[in-house]
Amino acid sequence: MSTKILVLGSSNVDLILRVPRFHHPGETIRADNLTTVFGGKGANQAIASKRLGAEVTFITRLGNDYYGKSYRRYLIEKGLNQKSILADKKVPTGMAFIELDPKGENRIVVSPGSNSSLSVDDLRRCDPLFGKIKAFVTQLEIPIETVRMGLKMAKRYAALSLLNPSPSRPLSAEILSLTDFLVPNELEAQSLTGLKMRKDQDLPRIAARLLKMGVKNVVITLGPKGLFFKNRDEEIRIKAFRVKVVDTTAAGDAFMGGLACALSEGKPIREALIFANTAGAFATTKLGAQPSLPFKKEVETFIKNQSK
Ligand code: RIB
């Protein structure tokens, strides 16, 4: 039987512009093409968790506009519970404007739209959905009060809580202490702690600071350099897999989905990190957020072949 995961977070429509290079202030450049896909960190993490084997409930808020309606239909088609896909009559659906360079690196500007009105009251009304979940996953593209309440409810239901602190913003001691697994990237880890990462050897110090700030486990994702994990008892470094990078968008979301699935299935931490790392690497090999999210079988086969 599959494990139950609840994801709380944003849904955006992503407009991806392939640019020859990132442009300078005041400059106008031409994009090679424009692709529109479904994205948003919350939705990406929900779809990733589903593809990677979990039974997923997703709490989100879309606009009642053209994009919102088609996104809603799509999420329901993907098997997500329609009751928690809320609609906002006044505010448009969240949008992300993504510039993608030939190396697969991106720059993203998000217009939050209806994600900003996903409220604490919405969450209270979703209380029954927290029953029997193994893990709770959230990020920071929705109001911080809603994130805090989600983490509190997860703890009340004894679920494992995972927070991806992206996009970066200061976090209260309460939020950090409600978090079992904090999964920042390098930049987010630096901005949360105020510590600079000049070399790899700085990672234990930065992770230790995050533990001191209240989280129980820290996973710092390092893109092409892999990841660094630390809790009170151990430190683990895992290298990234070498893949041909097309688009790094949503690699962190695939990682989150992979980690939530593996941990809630009871995999030991190293195994869970390898699973998440592989899911993240897969997501960089295709264009777009959700089109690039891998399935459990792909990730498992890849890991099996690596260990031969
Ligand atoms: O993490 C990738 C996501 O960030 C994109 O899908 C975009 O919507 C932004 O929220």
Side-chain angles (χ1 to χ4, degrees):
M1 217 175 69
S2 48
T3 174
K4 281 196 175 160
I5 294 179
L6 193 149
V7 181
L8 165 71
S10 58
S11 300
N12 295 325
V13 172
D14 292 354
L15 301 182
I16 309 168
L17 294 158
R18 272 183 188 268
V19 289
R21 60 173 172 80
F22 295 128
H23 60 308
H24 306 299
E27 189 187 20
T28 302
I29 60 166
R30 225 180 118 111
D32 297 332
N33 72 1
L34 167 70
T35 313
T36 307
V37 299
F38 293 128
K41 294 182 195 301
N44 297 346
Q45 293 175 20
I47 298 284
S49 305
K50 191 141 183 52
R51 289 192 184 162
L52 293 168
E55 192 182 314
V56 178
T57 302
F58 179 39
I59 304 176
T60 196
R61 195 177 264 284
L62 296 158
N64 199 31
D65 45 15
Y66 166 77
Y67 279 136
K69 285 178 188 159
S70 59
Y71 206 157
R72 185 186 167 76
R73 274 196 304 275
Y74 161 88
L75 289 173
I76 294 168
E77 254 169 53
K78 295 287 166 208
L80 295 168
N81 182 348
Q82 52 181 313
K83 281 199 191 129
S84 55
I85 305 170
L86 311 172
D88 194 302
K89 295 220 168 72
K90 294 189 200 123
V91 193
T93 300
M95 305 281 291
F97 302 87
I98 304 181
E99 287 178 46
L100 183 67
D101 82 356
K103 284 188 268 168
E105 297 292 340
N106 64 39
R107 286 188 179 179
I108 308 181
V109 180
V110 175
S111 166
S114 48
N115 295 305
S116 302
S117 56
L118 185 58
S119 69
V120 167
D121 283 345
D122 288 333
L123 212 48
R124 286 206 183 98
R125 281 189 285 273
C126 290
D127 187 85
L129 301 176
F130 280 71
K132 299 215 183 89
I133 58 164
K134 274 268 163 52
F136 170 80
V137 175
T138 193
Q139 340 65 33
L140 302 177
E141 283 188 327
I142 55 169
I144 197 72
E145 263 311 295
T146 311
V147 170
R148 189 185 68 91
M149 179 55 84
L151 289 164
K152 265 181 103 163
M153 289 165 75
K155 286 293 104 192
R156 206 182 302 141
Y157 282 89
L160 187 78
S161 60
L162 293 91
L163 172 63
N164 174 215
S166 181
S168 190
R169 55 169 297 162
L171 294 175
S172 66
E174 185 189 6
I175 288 190
L176 292 167
S177 65
L178 289 166
T179 302
D180 294 319
F181 277 79
L182 185 77
V183 188
N185 65 19
E186 261 170 272
L187 293 176
E188 290 149 4
Q190 291 181 77
S191 91
L192 280 170
T193 57
L195 298 174
K196 280 268 157 288
M197 188 182 137
R198 293 190 182 86
K199 43 187 180 358
D200 263 17
Q201 288 86 321
D202 294 331
L203 283 164
R205 194 168 55 98
I206 295 176
R209 174 70 66 86
L210 289 166
L211 295 177
K212 211 166 167 209
M213 287 164 77
V215 299
K216 293 168 197 70
N217 300 272
V218 178
V219 186
I220 305 180
T221 57
L222 303 165
K225 288 182 284 161
L227 67 88
F228 178 77
F229 165 84
K230 186 171 172 66
N231 67 11
R232 251 192 328 181
D233 308 315
E234 60 181 327
E235 280 180 13
I236 301 175
R237 276 173 202 261
I238 295 178
K239 287 195 181 138
F241 296 109
R242 279 183 188 276
V243 287
K244 191 173 176 321
V245 176
V246 175
D247 177 6
T248 53
T249 312
D253 300 329
F255 187 97
M256 281 299 285
L259 189 64
C261 286
L263 291 172
S264 56
E265 281 170 15
K267 287 200 168 80
I269 185 66
R270 182 178 288 275
E271 228 178 279
L273 291 169
I274 292 173
F275 187 78
N277 201 31
T278 312
F282 258 84
T284 66
T285 61
K286 289 185 198 146
L287 178 74
Q290 286 171 32
S292 72
L293 299 170
F295 288 85
K296 188 173 188 179
K297 196 98 214 106
E298 292 175 289
V299 173
E300 284 177 344
T301 311
F302 185 89
I303 295 174
K304 217 180 275 163
N305 290 341
Q306 288 282 310
S307 55
K308 271 183 195 161

